[in-house]
Amino acid sequence: MKRGKFAILLVAVLLTAAACHYDWIAAEAAAPIDPDQEVSFSATILPLFSENCTSCHKGGGVAPNLTPESAYSQISTSKYINTGSPGQSLIYRAVAPGMSLPGHKTLTSSQAALLLAWISQGAQNN
Ligand code: HEC
């Protein structure tokens, strides 16, 4: 009985610690972004793709095509974007610091935070 109570307490402590850890990561990733400020796809995300991605991700290159004419239609699918769990989106995971594809281009944490904020705000063609 005593051991049972201890086990429950231990699980509670671990879950609390895990919750704090998660909050800390989310807070750090979002730090450079004002949560009330809308991230524009055309003004912010497309230039980020053009500067960092389209040397490879272009027509006739590696999918998805991230050039301005094609990027939105290419990535607005459930394969690349998950607005329910923005951090799970492949377009983010492929390039975010600490989780990017092996040997792949990695964004700075503030660039990645912009991309994540745009997805969190509904991944609109804005
Ligand atoms: C130097 C070339 C290069 C650059 C620059 C590059 N990528 Fe990639 N990317 C690739 C290659 C090659 C792959 C395919 C497989 C791999 O690396 O695992 C890929 C895969 C991906 C995938 C997964 C595609 C899929 O359908 O599975 C995504 C998403 C992606 N890149 C996004 C980006 C974004 C966003 C940027 C810019 C921030 C970027 N890439 C910059 C070469 C590049």
Side-chain angles (χ1 to χ4, degrees), residues 23-96:
D23 286 350
W24 179 80
I25 290 172
E28 191 189 68
I33 306 295
D34 174 354
D36 296 330
Q37 197 180 325
E38 192 176 74
V39 177
S40 159
F41 185 69
S42 55
T44 302
I45 302 301
L46 283 180
L48 190 150
F49 286 164
S50 294
E51 279 163 34
N52 299 283
C53 319
T54 54
S55 54
C56 304
H57 292 279
K58 58 188 172 199
V62 187
N65 179 341
L66 297 176
T67 57
E69 332 51 89
S70 305
Y72 191 78
S73 62
Q74 289 266 314
I75 65 170
S76 55
T77 71
S78 57
K79 178 179 180 186
Y80 292 111
I81 291 182
N82 180 343
T83 48
S85 303
Q88 294 298 312
S89 302
L90 181 57
I91 193 70
Y92 172 74
R93 285 190 291 118
V95 291

